[in-house]
Amino acid sequence: QVQLVESGGGLVQAGGSLRLSCAASGRTFSGFAVGWFRQAPGKAREFVAAISWSGDSTYYADSVKGRFTISGDNAKNTVYLQMNSLKPEDTAVYYCAASPFLAAQAMGVMRPNFYWGQGTQVTVSS
């Protein structure tokens, strides 16, 4: 029911930065948890980071902790993923997902009722 649109991906060198955006339409993020996942070619989709909209709690995968920051803009109904100190192993298609009634930490496990965006490509070169 909720439509999510990701943007902000691109090609950067190792050590560079990108900011991804996830904009929602159809309804507000209020009451939802929102997360970022990524999937590299030939690999399973993995959790990156999540935020609970009303509780303002965040949760990160160990691989990105200290480098990535997830945040939200209530006025724009948008969630951001600021990615700093990018590494080649961060290369993947990044997807936004949202679900009601979940805490940020619970977004670490994918569920059938997640709403998904179309993905945005992030490529980090050496």
Side-chain angles (χ1 to χ4, degrees):
Q1 302 286 88
V2 177
Q3 293 187 328
L4 308 175
V5 179
E6 302 100 327
S7 62
L11 173 64
V12 298
Q13 291 189 342
S17 298
L18 285 173
R19 190 181 73 161
L20 306 183
S21 299
C22 174
S25 63
R27 65 155 294 160
T28 178
F29 275 137
S30 180
F32 278 68
V34 182
W36 287 95
F37 296 78
R38 65 188 182 187
Q39 187 167 21
K43 298 184 65 177
R45 192 169 299 185
E46 65 175 351
F47 170 76
V48 176
I51 185 170
S52 59
W53 199 253
S54 58
D56 198 29
S57 298
T58 58
Y59 176 63
Y60 297 92
D62 289 341
S63 60
V64 305
K65 195 173 300 181
R67 299 188 297 122
F68 292 8
T69 302
I70 189 169
S71 62
D73 186 324
N74 291 327
K76 296 182 178 180
N77 206 34
T78 299
V79 169
Y80 303 98
L81 184 68
Q82 178 66 47
M83 305 186 295
N84 299 326
S85 302
L86 283 163
K87 305 174 181 179
E89 51 263 44
D90 295 318
T91 295
V93 177
Y94 283 69
Y95 298 91
C96 179
S99 178
F101 311 119
L102 291 182
Q105 187 167 340
M107 292 291 290
V109 177
M110 287 179 285
R111 291 171 167 80
N113 65 339
F114 280 8
Y115 298 101
W116 292 96
Q118 83 288 351
T120 185
Q121 177 71 49
V122 172
T123 303
V124 184
S125 62
S126 301

